């Protein structure tokens, strides 16, 4: 059983504590060890008069049970005096509980209601705020009401003040977070001296104040990390409230006036709560404006609610996007290298920055650039079944595999295919496979994992065997840590490689998206991390680079430093990238696979055989695809552990060989040791006498290795 919550050493100020909810809070805190300031002006149920009797009685009750308490009779408008009572008596302030209710007000002055409820809360909280900041702890509970949340006939002034408390509490929650000051709001329904004249006796009995106090005590405890919450509570029931917003609809077009007729015609869509969003911050609210601007600028115009999700996703899976072409020269290669942090200050960077260098070459991660056209040019939106608002797109993960060093100039073609569409509930994940060719030669393969906010809930699968999965790093200290500073202009430079999103350059646009400044491109951090590995473990030899997989976690601000932690295991280097200044993880589950060299202790003999297989596929691939029409997976072991994986694709295009697992399910998977594989290839071992395990979608049997 969990330990009971105590408040020993804590100081609590409860306003309106002479009766009702406030009295119940004060008694409960006193019983659990808190030092309590019982504040009550002692007015009648209409807000008039003044008496010390109510507060004194509660203080005596607390003391009679062994607790500590003092009374305060000041109006909450004199917040400094209320807080000073706590400081004089107990030396500190820990929690503030605001509770004060009025009965029927009829024509009571608007200012009176606001002074007591809204201004009073402000005055008391302001008086305590700096004390809480200095001690790095504070808990504030505001008391709103159902009338404030939903409105109530005849209570305009009261409702306005009570909802104002919610807004005040939300802002205090944001401003106090960094100093461990949490502010929450409750909307209680409880019987008291103010409700006993208007509620039936049996209902009033079921709405005891003691059924509200436990929530207040929990929200006030230092173990509770809830902040900025709004709760309805009563009769032993507690529920949390949040805002909900329809997907909405854009009702204007670029360079055209917005008309009321357009609003009328789209009203059903505007009010359609299918796949509604639940914004919880102003950033989430403003982000929608960023989407709107993007859609208007691309002239999408009047658009119905796109949040029907990806209900037609099965029709899209396997579909190909229009072929994309990408022409470039050495200039784009150099711009990319500068964009991911290379500098002439480092001598070994010069071969990536100077076209006249004898070893001039392209960074392997430049391989993502030709494939971006599949996203930037709207190819995804042209497919049937994907009725999705792509302005809600987040780049979740990226996999890149390079089959040979990229040329320093040329025209490349990219063929993109929807590998799968997954239903994650709150959104949809699109797996987009992009193969990039120089002529008929496959140069690289990208898999984009794209998360579309609000497009889930269509009943699809949550996982896919076609996804290249991230891999957690070893549970030990990293072997190497490299720190590299980005510049203030890093995003401005990287965008020249083709990602023109103003989020990365325009401060006002970034602010609308909820960022304090333009953020760095995720693929820029991706490039930084990859070149860290390339330098550390491959001496900047691009022919050693095989593949990279990352999951994007948090953004980086230009000017911050990227810290790449590396763990080498065989030919795989696990990486995790962080912002040095904050410790925030930027890239997780990431790794880079390298080709082994003959000088490596971990070099595999089988790689020589696969290199020859690759050459034969290059020459005879089309003919082999017609005859075989299958994908073969190879698992090479050493010391009983799988140390390499290869895929021979004799089903797609002109055939292909690549190191690593197949993005889908191979037709056949062979498992064999590196030594045996090489022995069979050299004719030193009879393949009929050495078996390997075959795994297929239907069964698991034993087969003989073919002659190599």
């Amino acid at each position: 059983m969990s330990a009971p919550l105590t408040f020993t050493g804590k100081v609590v100020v409860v306003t309106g504590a002479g009766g009702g909810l406030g009295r119940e809070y004060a008694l409960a805190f006193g019983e659990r060890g808190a030092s309590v300031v019982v504040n009550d002006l002692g007015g009648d149920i209409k807000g008039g008069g003044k008496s010390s009797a109510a507060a004194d009685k509660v203080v005596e009750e607390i003391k009679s049970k062994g607790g500590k308490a003092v009374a305060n009779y000041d109006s909450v408008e004199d917040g400094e005096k209320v807080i000073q009572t706590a400081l004089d008596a107990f030396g500190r302030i820990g929690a503030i509980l605001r509770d004060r209710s009025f009965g029927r007000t009829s024509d009571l002055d608007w200012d009176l209601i606001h002074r007591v409820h809204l201004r009073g809360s402000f005055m008391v909280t302001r008086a305590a705020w700096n004390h809480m900041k200095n001690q790095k702890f504070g808990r504030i509970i505001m008391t709103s009401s159902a009338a404030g949340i939903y409105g109530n006939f005849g209570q305009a002034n009261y409702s306005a003040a009570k909802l104002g408390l919610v807004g005040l509490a939300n802002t205090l929650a944001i401003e106090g977070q960094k100093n461990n000051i949490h502010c929450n709001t409750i909307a209680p329904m409880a019987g008291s001296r103010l409700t006993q004249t208007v509620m039936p006796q049996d209902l009033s009995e079921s709405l005891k104040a003691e059924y509200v106090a436990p929530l207040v005590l929990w929200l006030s405890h230092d173990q509770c990390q809830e902040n900025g919450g709004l709760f309805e509570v009563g009769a032993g029931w507690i529920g949390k409230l949040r805002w909900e917003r329809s997907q909405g609809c854009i009702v204007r077009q670029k360079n055209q006036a917005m008309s009321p007729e357009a609003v009328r015609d789209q009203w059903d869509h505007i009010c359609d709560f299918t796949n509604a969003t639940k914004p919880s911050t102003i950033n989430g609210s403003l982000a929608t404006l960023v989407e709107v601007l993007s859609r208007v600028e691309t002239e999408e115009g009047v658009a119905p609610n796109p949040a029907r999700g990806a209900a037609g996703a099965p029709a899209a899976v396997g579909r190909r996007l229009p072929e994309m072409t990408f022409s470039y020269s050495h200039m784009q290669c150099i711009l990319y290298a500068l964009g991911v942090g290379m500098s002439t200050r480092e001598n070994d960077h010069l071969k990536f920055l100077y076209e006249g260098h004898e070893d001039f070459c392209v960074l392997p991660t430049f391989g993502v650039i030709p494939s971006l056209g599949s996203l930037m040019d709207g190819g995804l939106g042209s497919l049937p079944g994907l009725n999705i608002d792509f302005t809600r797109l987040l780049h979740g993960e990226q996999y890149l595999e390079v089959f040979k060093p990229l040329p320093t100039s040329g025209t490349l073609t990219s063929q993109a295919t929807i590998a799968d569409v997954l239903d994650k509930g709150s959104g949809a994940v699109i797996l987009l496979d992009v193969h990039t060719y120089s002529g008929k030669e496959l140069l690289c393969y990208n898999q984009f994992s794209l998360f579309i906010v609000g497009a889930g809930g269509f009943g699809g699968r949550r996982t896919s065997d076609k996804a290249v999965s991230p891999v957690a790093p070893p549970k030990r200290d990293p072997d190497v840590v490299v720190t590299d500073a980005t510049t203030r202009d890093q995003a401005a430079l990287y965008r020249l490689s083709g990602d023109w999103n103003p989020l990365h350059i325009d401060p006002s646009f970034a602010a609308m998206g909820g960022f304090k400044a333009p953020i760095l491109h995720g693929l820029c951090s991706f490039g930084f991390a990859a070149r860290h590995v390339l330098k550390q473990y491959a001496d900047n030899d691009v022919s050693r680079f095989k593949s990279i997989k990352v999951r994007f976690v948090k953004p980086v601000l230009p000017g911050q430093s990227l810290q790449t932690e590396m763990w080498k295991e065989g030919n795989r280097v696990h990486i995790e990238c962080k912002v040095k200044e904050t410790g925030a993880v930027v890239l997780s589950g990431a790794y880079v696979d390298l080709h082994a060299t003959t000088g490596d202790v971990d070099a595999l003999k089988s790689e020589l055989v696969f290199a020859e297989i690759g050459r034969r596929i290059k020459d005879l691939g089309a003919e082999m695809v017609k005859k075989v029409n299958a994908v073969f997976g190879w698992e090479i072991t050493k010391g009983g552990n799988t140390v390499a994986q290869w895929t021979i694709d004799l089903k797609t295009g002109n055939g292909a060989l690549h190191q690593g697992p197949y993005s889908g399910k191979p037709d056949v998977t062979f498992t064999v040791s590196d030594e045996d594989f090489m022995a069979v290839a050299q004719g030193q071992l009879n393949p009929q006498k050495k078996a390997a395990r075959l795994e297929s979608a239907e069964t698991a049997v034993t087969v003989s290795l073919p002659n190599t």
Side-chain angles (χ1 to χ4, degrees):
M1 183 176 179
S2 301
L5 299 175
T6 63
F7 292 86
T8 303
K10 303 296 183 184
V11 178
V12 179
V13 174
V14 184
T15 64
L21 289 168
R23 171 181 175 276
E24 194 64 37
Y25 303 159
L27 293 175
F29 277 108
E31 289 177 0
R32 291 176 180 263
S35 300
V36 185
V37 175
V38 179
N39 164 263
D40 199 282
L41 188 62
D44 58 30
I45 64 172
K46 294 183 179 180
K50 182 175 181 179
S51 170
S52 65
D56 290 340
K57 183 177 179 181
V58 175
V59 169
E60 289 305 315
E61 286 186 76
I62 294 173
K63 288 183 174 180
S64 69
K65 296 178 181 179
K68 300 177 182 179
V70 295
N72 176 275
Y73 319 114
D74 294 299
S75 166
V76 289
E77 291 187 82
D78 297 319
E80 293 284 351
K81 294 180 180 179
V82 177
I83 298 303
Q84 193 60 48
T85 298
L87 297 175
D88 291 343
F90 305 118
R92 57 178 288 144
I93 176 68
I96 302 173
L97 301 157
R98 281 288 300 130
D99 177 72
R100 192 60 155 166
S101 298
F102 275 58
R104 291 179 59 192
T105 58
S106 182
D107 294 328
L108 282 177
D109 181 74
W110 175 280
D111 289 340
L112 173 61
I113 295 295
H114 280 258
R115 283 205 313 269
V116 174
H117 291 280
L118 192 53
R119 179 175 168 79
S121 298
F122 159 71
M123 295 298 289
V124 174
T125 305
R126 185 178 67 173
W129 190 256
N130 286 335
H131 298 289
M132 289 180 168
K133 285 179 64 177
N134 292 337
Q135 66 194 25
K136 299 295 182 182
F137 177 81
R139 296 291 185 267
I140 302 168
I141 315 297
M142 298 290 186
T143 302
S144 184
S145 73
I149 298 170
Y150 306 110
N152 193 31
F153 182 85
Q155 290 189 299
N157 50 0
Y158 178 75
S159 298
K162 284 298 189 181
L163 189 58
L165 286 171
V166 177
L168 174 62
N170 289 343
T171 297
L172 293 179
I174 295 169
E175 295 187 7
Q177 178 77 41
K178 63 182 179 181
N179 291 305
N180 193 26
I181 302 172
H182 296 173
C183 187
N184 293 283
T185 307
I186 64 170
M189 179 56 73
S192 69
R193 63 193 178 104
L194 302 177
T195 59
Q196 62 189 9
T197 60
V198 295
M199 282 188 177
Q201 182 64 29
D202 56 347
L203 179 57
S204 185
E205 283 295 317
S206 69
L207 297 176
K208 293 180 180 179
E210 64 192 69
Y211 297 149
V212 177
L215 170 62
V216 172
L217 266 66
W218 168 239
L219 292 174
S220 302
H221 201 275
D222 54 12
Q223 291 180 17
C224 181
Q225 295 303 303
E226 183 70 35
N227 191 26
L230 172 61
F231 301 87
E232 286 187 292
V233 54
W237 170 88
I238 302 169
K240 186 174 183 179
L241 281 77
R242 64 184 180 188
W243 292 100
E244 185 176 68
R245 180 177 63 189
S246 73
Q247 291 282 346
C249 179
I250 299 175
V251 293
R252 75 179 181 95
Q253 294 178 315
K254 186 177 181 179
N255 299 325
Q256 293 186 20
M258 179 176 168
S259 70
E261 289 78 15
V263 177
R264 175 200 63 199
D265 295 343
Q266 297 297 331
W267 193 248
D268 287 346
H269 295 299
I270 293 170
C271 300
D272 181 1
F273 276 85
T274 302
N275 290 328
T277 61
K278 299 172 178 64
S280 58
T281 66
I282 195 170
N283 294 344
S285 176
L286 290 174
T288 300
L289 297 181
V290 177
E291 299 168 11
V292 169
L293 288 174
S294 174
R295 291 180 61 185
V296 170
E297 287 300 312
T298 55
E299 298 185 317
E300 290 184 35
V302 177
N305 185 346
R308 298 295 178 184
V317 175
R319 296 292 293 270
R320 291 189 174 187
L321 277 63
E323 186 174 270
M324 311 295 295
T325 60
F326 176 76
S327 296
Y328 66 104
S329 69
H330 65 274
M331 184 180 297
Q332 281 75 29
C333 302
I334 295 170
L335 273 176
Y336 177 80
L338 292 169
V340 296
M342 293 209 125
S343 168
T344 55
R345 292 191 301 270
E346 303 288 338
N347 290 333
D348 57 351
H349 289 189
L350 194 59
K351 70 176 185 178
F352 299 102
L353 300 174
Y354 174 41
E355 71 283 3
H357 193 283
E358 60 180 354
D359 295 321
F360 180 58
C361 57
V362 186
L363 281 169
T365 47
F366 183 76
V368 301
I369 301 301
S371 65
L372 288 177
S374 301
L375 302 178
M376 301 296 180
D377 297 339
L380 277 174
S382 67
L383 290 181
L386 291 181
N387 183 22
I388 293 173
D389 180 358
F390 287 96
T391 61
R392 297 180 179 274
L393 181 149
L394 301 174
H395 196 172
E397 298 177 10
Q398 183 72 26
Y399 176 75
L400 165 67
E401 184 167 358
V402 180
F403 301 112
K404 65 173 296 182
L406 301 170
T408 56
S409 64
T411 297
L412 308 181
T413 58
S414 293
Q415 181 65 65
T417 305
I418 305 295
D420 215 337
V421 182
L422 308 179
D423 187 351
K424 297 294 186 178
S426 61
V429 170
I430 297 177
L431 297 179
L432 181 67
D433 286 349
V434 185
H435 292 82
T436 299
Y437 300 85
S438 176
K440 294 183 178 181
E441 183 177 25
L442 179 63
L443 291 183
C444 59
Y445 158 67
N446 280 274
Q447 184 178 86
F448 294 83
S449 179
L450 309 170
F451 186 81
I452 314 297
V453 179
F458 56 88
R461 294 179 294 106
R462 293 186 61 86
T463 60
S464 173
D465 57 7
K466 298 177 183 177
V468 180
S469 300
V471 180
K475 294 182 179 179
R476 56 180 170 86
D477 292 338
D479 302 322
V480 177
V481 178
V482 174
T483 302
D484 208 350
T486 66
T487 69
R488 179 72 180 270
D489 297 318
Q490 202 72 59
L493 190 56
Y494 182 84
R495 69 191 297 266
L496 299 180
S497 289
D499 188 340
W500 303 101
N501 190 336
L503 178 66
H504 304 294
I505 189 70
D506 186 342
S508 60
F509 202 84
M512 292 175 64
F515 300 101
K516 63 181 181 181
I519 62 174
L520 197 62
H521 306 70
L523 284 175
C524 182
S525 302
F526 169 92
F528 265 80
R531 68 174 182 78
H532 289 163
V533 175
L534 190 68
K535 179 176 181 177
Q536 182 66 36
Y537 290 109
D539 195 29
N540 280 334
D541 180 356
V542 297
S543 68
R544 294 280 315 280
F545 186 94
K546 183 173 64 176
S547 61
I548 178 172
K549 170 69 180 184
V550 306
R551 171 178 287 161
F552 301 107
V553 183
K554 289 188 176 180
V556 179
L557 296 177
Q560 291 182 322
S561 297
L562 288 170
Q563 182 173 288
T564 304
E565 300 176 347
M566 298 176 243
W567 296 260
K568 190 173 189 300
E569 293 197 331
N571 293 321
R572 172 164 290 180
V573 181
H574 297 271
I575 55 177
E576 185 168 87
C577 197
K578 300 177 180 178
V579 174
K580 180 183 178 182
E581 291 81 357
T582 65
V585 175
V586 177
L587 306 176
S588 70
Y591 60 84
V592 171
D593 284 338
L594 300 172
H595 293 295
T597 64
T598 54
D600 286 345
V601 174
D602 297 325
L604 300 175
K605 299 175 183 178
S606 56
E607 290 200 355
L608 299 174
V609 179
F610 282 109
E612 177 60 27
I613 293 173
R615 283 190 286 271
R616 295 189 183 186
I617 291 176
K618 180 179 178 181
D619 295 335
L620 305 170
E623 182 181 344
M624 297 169 73
V625 167
K626 291 180 181 179
K627 291 181 178 179
V628 180
N629 192 34
V631 177
F632 301 93
W634 287 86
E635 296 178 351
I636 305 301
T637 66
K638 200 168 187 178
N641 299 315
T642 299
V643 292
Q645 292 178 283
W646 291 86
T647 299
I648 300 176
D649 184 353
L650 297 179
K651 180 182 284 187
T652 306
N654 294 320
L657 168 77
H658 71 265
Q659 191 168 1
Y662 184 53
S663 60
K665 184 74 173 178
D667 296 293
V668 181
T669 299
F670 299 94
T671 302
V672 64
S673 73
D674 184 58
E675 295 81 2
D676 288 342
F677 184 88
M678 195 63 183
V680 169
Q682 294 174 336
Q684 298 172 357
L685 183 65
N686 187 337
Q688 302 303 320
K689 296 181 179 180
K690 191 67 183 179
R693 186 164 61 93
L694 165 67
E695 293 182 353
S696 69
E698 293 81 20
T699 184
V701 298
T702 299
V703 298
S704 299
L705 287 172
N707 290 315
T708 305

